[in-house]
Amino acid sequence: MRTILTTAGVNIGDDEEYFSSDVAEGSVLNVRITPRAGGDPYACGDGCEVFEDDSAVVQVSLGEVPEVSGLNVSQATEALTAKGLDVNSERPEQFSDDFAEGQVIAIADRGEEGPWRPGDVVTLIVSEGDVITAGQQ
């Protein structure tokens, strides 16, 4: 694909990387074209017309965000930072019958739309252990 774009005289910028559960690591998610005359970039994932001196950015999949449920905070942090994500030092806690105290329940929902990208800050939700009801010991 890069060869086709380069042969057509399209200027190729640095790749953009995104996590995707649908597209394998290293595969192209999309190509965004910016017209040479200016204007808004547009997606060219299903094919499009490009012109000499247009600019292209290739969007590449990093695969899935690592699954960290059930890991301790240290293990989860290591797995996420190894993939280029930052981990928030603030960790909301919830009671859970499924996860022992100190285990990660999940990653909190992303605060904005779109896929996770390297450098994004991930918030871990951590278990406080089983729910204790009145009368239990």
Side-chain angles (χ1 to χ4, degrees):
M1 178 215 20
R2 291 179 201 287
T3 303
I4 294 168
L5 291 170
T6 303
T7 301
V10 174
N11 303 308
I12 301 175
D14 293 336
D15 289 353
E16 291 180 353
E17 298 176 316
Y18 298 88
F19 289 95
S20 172
S21 59
D22 300 326
V23 179
E25 184 174 356
S27 297
V28 173
L29 292 162
N30 196 3
V31 177
R32 302 224 18 104
I33 303 294
T34 302
R36 65 179 176 216
D40 293 330
Y42 57 91
C44 189
D46 294 325
C48 62
E49 196 169 48
V50 296
F51 299 96
E52 187 174 351
D53 286 331
D54 282 352
S55 296
V57 174
V58 179
Q59 297 172 321
V60 180
S61 173
L62 293 171
E64 293 188 58
V65 171
E67 176 57 54
V68 295
S69 297
L71 300 178
N72 66 42
V73 171
S74 177
Q75 292 168 326
T77 299
E78 184 177 322
L80 293 166
T81 56
K83 288 290 194 169
L85 294 164
D86 293 328
V87 178
N88 192 342
S89 60
E90 294 182 22
R91 297 178 188 90
E93 295 183 338
Q94 295 178 359
F95 288 106
S96 172
D97 293 331
D98 298 321
F99 296 96
E101 184 176 353
Q103 286 185 325
V104 173
I105 297 172
I107 294 173
D109 289 338
R110 188 172 157 75
E112 55 190 66
E113 288 191 35
W116 291 102
R117 297 190 63 193
D120 283 349
V121 178
V122 173
T123 300
L124 301 175
I125 301 171
V126 179
S127 175
E128 289 186 88
D130 290 337
V131 175
I132 299 174
T133 57
Q136 281 187 318
Q137 292 186 8

